[in-house]
Amino acid sequence: MSENNEYSFYAAVVKSFKKAAEFTKWDKGLLEQISACNAVYRMRFPVKKEDGSIEVIEAYRVQHSHHKTPCKGGIRFSMAVNQDEVMALAALMTYKCAIVNVPFGGGKGGIKIDPKKYTPYELEKITRRYTSELIKKNFIGPAVDVPAPDYGTGEREMAWIVDTYAAMHTHDIDAAGCVTGKPVSQGGVRGRKEATGLGVFYGLKEVLSMEEEMSKRGLTPGVAGKRIVIQGLGNVGYHSAKFFRDAGAVIVGVAEYEGSISKPDGIHVDELLEFRKRTGSILNFPSAVNLENNKAALELDCDVLIPAALENVIDGENAPRIKAKIVGEAANGPLTPEADEILLQKGVLVVPDMYLNAGGVTVSYFEWLKNLSHVRYGRMEKRFNENMNARILQEIEDLTGKKVNESSKTFINHGADEVELVYSGLEETMITATREIMAEWKANDHIPDMRTAAYVVAINKVATTYAELGIFP
Ligand code: GLU
């Protein structure tokens, strides 16, 4: 499937799916339907660059499953984009959404460009043209297919998309719901930007609290003091690192594109990012050690390794040298199936991508709901709750004759803001999903790893939807 006839990411996803399907009771045809990519839209369009030259751009949107609509999934800008990759990522979205109970089918988009090589004006032209192509074929809309940020894209691109869509759908009162990950001023939700990294943190925190899993690997439960290595300091890697550090973990290594560093007493990621902005590199960060290349940090001695960049970074070659006890897949597909097998033999707990990085799509779901309801979270109940809390506290003080101190009073009385509701909705989602997957794994001794257990959970949920639709007896 891969265009360069090498590693096929899509084949790896299908392989994991088939392995898990063995542990389910569903009809072969139904399983085939769940695994198949429903629609692939491959497009090419021209863009005139600022120097007057014309370039033909290659782009995709894949809708993997329509068992629930709209389809959902990010759009990435990267030179590694090809049909195989977008299909694999769209499939992962289907399973991801099912696991976290987000009512969407999986989708994914990609534009094969290196965004660093274009001016903002050119990127805007490319993004708007891509959106127009999606509109032409009915591949975007709040009820049809809802893109979001992914590798190489962010709020700015989402703002261009919603503006293009809304301009061409002036009668669609729900037009803002055609894309998520927008700036708050354009209908975005507070907390979306950090959502994937925060979800990685909540998911791993729950895993790290599991006494049995920790003792099997010689670890004590809890986040505080855990030694973490992060690969990729983009939106996902940066926020994962930040939330771990805030909770008392120690970031002992960081890998980026230009190289990797280690610092056993801990790296402050904000300082590192600031340093990188100033010098153009993470290398030579004060009191850190430069490692031999940009993948070397993956092999550092640590408790949790978090690959948060692109797919296929741990393969059969470097997997034997991984020393982490837990690998948290913040990226999509960072392990090849061969690496997966090797880490399993070594007793490493691999916490799988399609649920661990589901924080982004979970908060996208909250954003989409906000767009459809046309009201900010907390707007209706914030003041009511504050008044009620103040009244309850007053009653308690009157009945006990004691006074609560001012800072506790402010905390107890306050009504939740949008961002607090989003965070708590996300925390609940990640904890529930972690427990559900672990329970599935525990219930069947033959399920070899957490990834397979996650697939089983996903397959059962998607299959149930089909079965209840009555399509498959
Ligand atoms: N691109 C993110 C992912 O891979 C987010 C998708 C979304 O929010 O729809 O999960």
Side-chain angles (χ1 to χ4, degrees), residues 446-461:
H446 301 292
I447 295 182
D449 49 31
M450 199 175 169
R451 186 188 315 282
T452 308
Y455 267 96
V456 171
V457 170
I459 292 170
N460 285 337
K461 289 189 181 183

Side-chain angles (χ1 to χ4, degrees), residues 157-436:
E157 288 72 18
M158 303 308 117
W160 292 331
I161 293 174
V162 71
D163 187 58
T164 309
Y165 182 87
M168 294 171 83
H169 295 82
T170 48
H171 291 279
D172 185 351
I173 196 169
D174 294 324
C178 76
V179 66
T180 59
K182 302 177 292 292
V184 172
S185 65
Q186 307 297 313
V189 73
R190 290 162 186 82
R192 174 62 184 83
K193 197 169 180 178
E194 62 272 38
T196 311
L198 183 57
V200 168
F201 170 71
Y202 285 145
L204 285 173
K205 183 177 170 211
E206 184 61 17
V207 170
L208 289 168
S209 76
M210 295 178 168
E211 204 134 12
E212 199 189 324
E213 291 305 322
M214 292 308 103
S215 77
K216 272 193 227 162
R217 292 165 181 88
L219 295 171
T220 51
V223 170
K226 290 286 177 305
R227 296 165 308 144
I228 316 269
V229 171
I230 306 266
Q231 189 222 9
L233 269 192
N235 182 40
V236 179
Y238 164 73
H239 284 109
S240 305
K242 185 178 158 15
F243 288 113
F244 267 105
R245 191 174 188 279
D246 290 350
V250 189
I251 311 299
V252 296
V254 170
E256 249 298 343
Y257 168 90
E258 64 272 13
S260 57
I261 58 169
S262 84
K263 189 169 178 289
D265 64 344
I267 296 164
H268 192 308
V269 276
D270 286 304
E271 285 170 14
L272 179 60
L273 270 192
E274 203 276 316
F275 175 83
R276 189 180 191 221
K277 208 180 271 169
R278 205 156 26 85
T279 66
S281 169
I282 61 167
L283 294 172
N284 304 320
F285 182 62
S287 69
V289 177
N290 293 338
L291 303 174
E292 53 275 30
N293 57 48
N294 66 358
K295 281 180 112 183
L298 297 171
E299 298 167 25
L300 284 170
D301 184 17
C302 64
D303 300 317
V304 188
L305 168 63
I306 305 182
L310 286 175
E311 58 266 21
N312 197 13
V313 293
I314 304 175
D315 55 17
E317 195 275 319
N318 59 355
R321 299 191 299 276
I322 299 293
K323 295 180 199 70
K325 300 186 176 85
I326 298 171
V327 173
E329 295 187 322
N332 288 307
L335 269 58
T336 63
E338 208 184 341
D340 226 5
E341 206 49 55
I342 295 169
L343 295 185
L344 178 65
Q345 298 309 326
K346 282 162 67 97
V348 177
L349 173 62
V350 176
V351 186
D353 48 6
M354 82 231 200
Y355 116 86
L356 190 64
N357 67 28
V361 75
T362 301
V363 176
S364 277
Y365 171 46
F366 301 157
E367 179 175 334
W368 181 74
L369 291 175
K370 175 186 183 181
N371 296 147
L372 300 190
S373 65
H374 301 264
V375 64
R376 161 172 56 81
Y377 287 104
R379 177 166 178 177
M380 299 302 286
E381 63 273 39
K382 184 174 165 54
R383 179 66 54 167
F384 177 84
N385 288 340
E386 285 179 355
N387 292 340
M388 187 62 90
N389 294 345
R391 177 74 189 272
I392 294 169
L393 201 57
Q394 186 62 54
E395 290 287 339
I396 293 172
E397 287 184 343
D398 290 349
L399 285 168
T400 59
K402 289 181 180 158
K403 292 264 175 224
V404 168
N405 72 47
E406 276 312 309
S407 76
S408 297
K409 196 173 205 161
T410 311
F411 179 74
I412 294 167
N413 283 354
H414 95 286
D417 288 321
E418 181 167 84
V419 71
E420 292 172 285
L421 293 167
V422 164
Y423 277 24
S424 82
L426 176 59
E427 184 174 14
E428 170 63 19
T429 303
M430 293 308 295
I431 290 175
T432 307
T434 309
R435 292 187 184 165
E436 217 171 316

Side-chain angles (χ1 to χ4, degrees), residues 107-168:
K108 201 77 168 199
I111 305 186
K112 188 176 176 180
I113 52 167
D114 175 356
K116 286 195 260 352
K117 300 216 168 107
Y118 297 83
T119 64
Y121 173 73
E122 290 164 347
L123 286 172
E124 178 172 352
K125 272 176 77 169
I126 293 169
T127 309
R128 287 187 185 274
R129 177 63 189 260
Y130 175 75
T131 310
S132 306
E133 296 294 330
L134 295 180
I135 294 168
K136 278 203 263 179
K137 299 270 192 247
N138 196 27
F139 260 67
I140 184 170
V144 178
D145 192 344
V146 181
D150 200 87
Y151 187 85
T153 58
E155 287 186 348
R156 179 183 64 172
E157 288 72 18
M158 303 308 117
W160 292 331
I161 293 174
V162 71
D163 187 58
T164 309
Y165 182 87
M168 294 171 83

